[in-house]
Amino acid sequence: MHKDIEKILVSQEEIQEKCKELGAQLSEEYQDRFPLAIGVLKGALPFMSDILRSMDTYLEMDFMDVSSYGGELRSSGEVKIEKDLNTKVEGRDLLIIEDIIDSGLTLSYLVDLFKYRKAKSIKIVTLLDKPEGRTVDIKADVVGFKVPNEFVVGYGLDYQEKYRNLPYIGVLKPHVYGGE
Ligand code: XMP
Ligand code: MG
């Protein structure tokens, strides 16, 4: 385990197992629909890579980068598009792939945007759900794991751009972010 990590919340094995299970499920559902999988950068990258490789349907991938956090631990309440899609979503079946839903601001913004752009259907697929963090009313369609209201890192999730490469989800030791 990395020296800055206090405890592991979801292990590498649990994540890999879940990706296979969810990928198989989605595979069946999207068999003849050529969905557009939209990864929300940068956090969704490992999850997207693993879950989509468990699907054996035709699919297209694109990426969106939005920010609401900066280097802070809490959401600023603002969502800004840093990088938009290269693909038209009109008439497409979308799979939005996210690392975590916390306040729900990012996803509710994206869902509104894609509805406005006339997507045919939208499914939210998130590795983690932190239900206690919610400030807007939004639910994911597919959730890997629920996590408590703690700041988590690893498997795409960062603290000041570090720890995204860890293969598990963990909680940092408090001294790392200036706590006790
Ligand atoms: P919202 O609040 O818009 O948050 O649902 C979505 C984005 O916020 C980031 N986020 C976290 N990042 N550990 C992180 O490293 C966390 O515990 C955490 N909670 C929210 C994340 O980028 C997510 O896409
Ligand atoms: Mg994110």
Side-chain angles (χ1 to χ4, degrees), residues 35-39 48 52 59-63 93 95-97:
L36 173 62
I38 299 173
M48 182 162 180
L52 297 187
L59 58 82
E60 188 173 358
M61 296 184 202
D62 202 348
F63 299 91
D93 290 309
L95 289 170
I96 307 181
I97 316 283

Side-chain angles (χ1 to χ4, degrees), residues 4-178:
D4 293 350
I5 297 293
E6 181 164 87
K7 61 175 183 225
I8 293 180
L9 289 184
V10 191
S11 71
Q12 180 170 11
E13 293 73 28
E14 288 173 302
I15 294 172
Q16 294 310 316
E17 196 55 40
K18 186 65 79 176
C19 286
K20 280 187 199 145
E21 177 195 323
L22 299 180
Q25 215 173 287
L26 290 170
S27 224
E28 200 162 305
E29 193 176 339
Y30 286 86
Q31 202 50 245
D32 302 308
R33 295 166 68 183
F34 190 43
L36 173 62
I38 299 173
V40 186
L41 294 172
K42 307 169 195 166
L45 193 102
F47 180 47
M48 182 162 180
S49 163
D50 284 336
I51 197 168
L52 297 187
R53 280 182 296 165
S54 298
M55 292 180 67
D56 65 355
T57 64
Y58 292 115
L59 58 82
E60 188 173 358
M61 296 184 202
D62 202 348
F63 299 91
M64 185 104 190
D65 188 6
V66 294
S67 64
S68 65
Y69 264 67
E72 302 302 315
L73 290 173
R74 274 212 206 110
S75 172
S76 64
E78 273 171 54
V79 178
K80 182 168 157 246
I81 298 183
E82 309 279 2
K83 182 220 168 288
D84 206 338
L85 298 173
N86 296 320
T87 317
K88 261 181 91 170
V89 306
E90 187 173 346
R92 298 293 300 270
D93 290 309
L94 308 185
L95 289 170
I96 307 181
I97 316 283
E98 251 290 30
D99 50 1
I100 187 166
I101 311 189
D102 187 0
S103 71
L105 276 167
T106 309
L107 277 169
S108 75
Y109 174 84
L110 289 177
V111 166
D112 286 349
L113 179 70
F114 297 146
K115 279 185 182 161
Y116 173 78
R117 292 182 180 173
K118 301 194 175 77
K120 184 173 170 198
S121 71
I122 301 172
K123 191 186 284 286
I124 299 173
V125 182
T126 186
L127 176 70
L128 304 178
D129 186 8
K130 213 192 258 187
E132 290 165 57
R134 211 70 98 247
T135 60
V136 288
D137 185 25
I138 186 155
K139 256 176 90 178
D141 303 288
V142 178
V143 175
F145 304 92
K146 277 193 185 156
V147 288
N149 205 2
E150 283 185 273
F151 194 78
V152 297
V153 298
Y155 199 70
L157 293 148
D158 72 305
Y159 175 61
Q160 296 183 341
E161 295 303 323
K162 293 178 199 147
Y163 313 108
R164 293 191 197 274
N165 55 315
L166 301 182
Y168 47 78
I169 301 289
V171 178
L172 287 173
K173 290 178 180 164
H175 75 84
V176 179
Y177 48 89

